[in-house]
Amino acid sequence: SVKDSQRHMFAVQPAVSLGVYALTFTPAADVTGSVEISVVLKDNGGTANAGTDATTYKLMLNIVPVNKKPSFTAGPVISIFENSGAYSQLWATDISAGNKETSQVVSFAVTVSKPDFFYTVPTINSQGYLSFTLHPDVYGTVVMTVTAIDNGGTGNLGVDRSDPLAVDIVIRFVNQAPSFTAGGSVTAQENGGPFAQKAWASDIIAGPPLEHLAQKALLEFIVTPTDTTLFAVQPAIDAVTGDLAF
C-alpha cells in the first residue's frame, strides 16, 4: 500500500502477487518523484496468545524523469518569388519540449536538398521564425527537413528530438529582361540595295543563366525604325546570329 497522499502517482496501485511474489504497479503518466511502499505479509493464524500474523516491509520507489519527445506544429509550404530578398516569417508554432518539461529549451535542426540555392541557408529560431536568403536568379523546389531538439538528453531511454518533418520551399520563376550588346550606328548608301551586317547584336542572352538555357530558342528582336518609308524591306535582326539586314 501507499499513503493516500501519494496514490495519485499510480495508474495501477502497487500489489504483490501470491505464488510468484512479484511486485507490480503502473505509474501514472508524467509523474516523477519518490514514494514509500508498505508491503505486508499476513497469515491466517491470528494474534491470540501474543501471536503475530503479519510482517511489514517498507521500501522507497524512485520514479525518475524520462525525457519526452519535443513537438511543434509545422507551417505551410513556403512559396516565394525568385529574387525576393531575405525571408523571415513565423513558421513553427505550438513548440513544446514535452509534457511538464517547460524548463527545457527547444532548438531546430534544418537541412535543405539544394543548399547551393541559398546565400544564407534556412534556420528556425526558438520562437519558430524561419529565416533564409536566396542566391540571385534561382528558382524551383527545395525540400526542407526540420527536427525539433530539446536539451533534456537521452538518459533512461529518453527522447530528445522530434520525428523529422519535410516541407517544400517553392521558389517561383520571375521572368527577367533579355539583353544584348548593340553594334552602334550603321551607314548605308542610297540605292545601295540589300544591306547586311554580321553580328551587329552580340552577347544575346534571355536573362540569367538558368533562364537563358530555358528561353534562348524563344528570343526575337522587334526592330522599329522611326521612318518606315525609307525601307523597301524593313530592318530585322536574327536572334541567333545577331545579323542585321534591311
Side-chain angles (χ1 to χ4, degrees), residues 126-203:
S126 58
Q127 286 75 46
Y129 278 84
L130 168 66
S131 302
F132 59 82
T133 303
L134 294 168
H135 278 304
D137 308 322
V138 296
Y139 58 89
T141 299
V142 176
V143 179
M144 178 177 71
T145 303
V146 180
T147 305
I149 304 172
D150 65 33
N151 63 345
T154 58
N156 302 317
L157 303 179
V159 180
D160 66 350
R161 59 193 59 214
S162 67
D163 295 329
L165 184 146
V167 65
D168 288 343
I169 299 175
V170 180
I171 306 159
R172 298 165 64 183
F173 169 76
V174 177
N175 192 30
Q176 298 175 64
S179 64
F180 67 97
T181 300
S185 298
V186 173
T187 300
Q189 294 181 347
E190 180 184 3
N191 299 321
F195 176 93
Q197 180 174 327
K198 295 288 187 181
W200 178 85
S202 59
D203 303 320

Side-chain angles (χ1 to χ4, degrees), residues 175-181 202-208 211-212 215-216 218-222 239:
N175 192 30
Q176 298 175 64
S179 64
F180 67 97
T181 300
S202 59
D203 303 320
I204 303 167
I205 58 173
E211 189 172 320
H212 177 65
Q215 299 190 40
K216 64 180 181 179
L218 305 177
L219 286 169
E220 64 172 327
F221 281 96
I222 300 172

Side-chain angles (χ1 to χ4, degrees), residues 37 47-48 57 62 64 81 97 101 127 155 161 168 174-175 186 235-236:
I37 298 176
T47 58
Y57 178 83
N62 295 313
V64 297
F81 290 110
E101 294 178 341
Q127 286 75 46
R161 59 193 59 214
D168 288 343
V174 177
N175 192 30
V186 173

Side-chain angles (χ1 to χ4, degrees), residues 70-75 91-96 108 146-148 162-163 165:
S71 63
F72 66 97
T73 298
W91 184 79
T93 57
D94 303 321
I95 300 168
S96 172
F108 289 91
V146 180
T147 305
S162 67
D163 295 329
L165 184 146

Side-chain angles (χ1 to χ4, degrees), residues 2-3 5-10 31-37 59-65:
V2 297
K3 297 177 181 178
S5 62
Q6 294 182 309
R7 295 181 67 83
H8 70 281
M9 298 179 69
F10 298 91
V31 167
T32 61
S34 297
V35 57
E36 184 181 85
I37 298 176
L59 62 96
M60 291 299 298
L61 169 65
N62 295 313
I63 303 174
V64 297

